[in-house]
Amino acid sequence: MTRDLPPAQALRARIDFDERELATRRAYFEIEDADLERLGRLGSFAQKHMDDVVEDFYRLLLGHAAPRGFFADEATIRRVKRLQRDYFVQLFAGRCDLEYVEDRLRVGAAHEAIGMQPRWYIGAYRHYLSILHDKL
């Protein structure tokens, strides 16, 4: 029963996301093992640019009234920036496994719980990719 699983595993089970589904999505997004290996070799890049990328990312979010409303106070902003730094470094770990999926599901559930519409984080991540492109 999924109620006996940790929350992220229960969510993954509820949406029927298993190794087979992960393989299907990796194929769709054309993420191959060689791509993950290349990402893994960029760890020093991630460490070097982490703070700049996160600050630029939050400059966009906090510069618009609607997404800014999701951040109650400075303590919240510091906490989410710290989490975003951790996420940024994880992107360059070269992992795309079920544990990574569970982490992303946890974040998605948190966005849903606070009522953040997908348009805000999709737009923010478009900016994230632009920042990464410039740094690379």
Side-chain angles (χ1 to χ4, degrees):
M1 182 172 266
T2 60
R3 281 182 268 173
D4 298 332
L5 295 172
Q9 288 180 5
L11 181 56
R12 186 172 57 79
R14 193 175 86 218
I15 64 171
D16 199 26
F17 200 109
D18 57 12
E19 290 285 352
R20 196 160 131 205
E21 180 62 20
L22 177 62
T24 298
R25 292 193 190 197
R26 279 188 56 183
Y28 178 75
F29 287 106
E30 299 177 325
I31 300 171
E32 298 179 358
D33 289 343
D35 301 315
L36 297 174
E37 289 171 18
R38 280 191 291 278
L39 273 174
R41 290 192 301 267
L42 290 171
S44 61
F45 165 86
Q47 291 292 331
K48 178 180 178 182
H49 295 289
M50 165 181 63
D51 291 327
D52 291 340
V53 170
V54 170
E55 288 303 317
D56 197 356
F57 179 74
Y58 279 95
R59 194 174 1 267
L60 173 70
L61 284 173
L62 299 172
H64 295 272
R68 185 174 52 242
F70 293 106
F71 306 98
D73 52 36
E74 284 300 315
T76 301
I77 293 169
R78 282 192 305 275
R79 182 177 56 79
V80 296
K81 283 182 177 181
R82 180 182 45 79
L83 292 169
Q84 190 63 230
R85 284 182 186 91
D86 293 345
Y87 170 66
F88 184 74
V89 171
Q90 287 175 5
L91 284 174
F92 295 90
R95 283 184 40 245
C96 187
D97 54 17
L98 291 177
E99 185 178 335
Y100 176 81
V101 169
E102 288 171 7
D103 188 53
R104 298 297 85 216
L105 289 171
R106 234 184 332 273
V107 170
H111 287 153
E112 183 179 33
I114 65 171
M116 182 180 276
Q117 297 172 328
R119 66 182 170 147
W120 296 115
Y121 54 84
I122 290 171
Y125 279 98
R126 192 254 1 120
H127 184 66
Y128 206 80
L129 291 173
S130 177
I131 298 166
L132 281 173
H133 181 265
D134 291 345
K135 296 287 183 192
L136 286 168

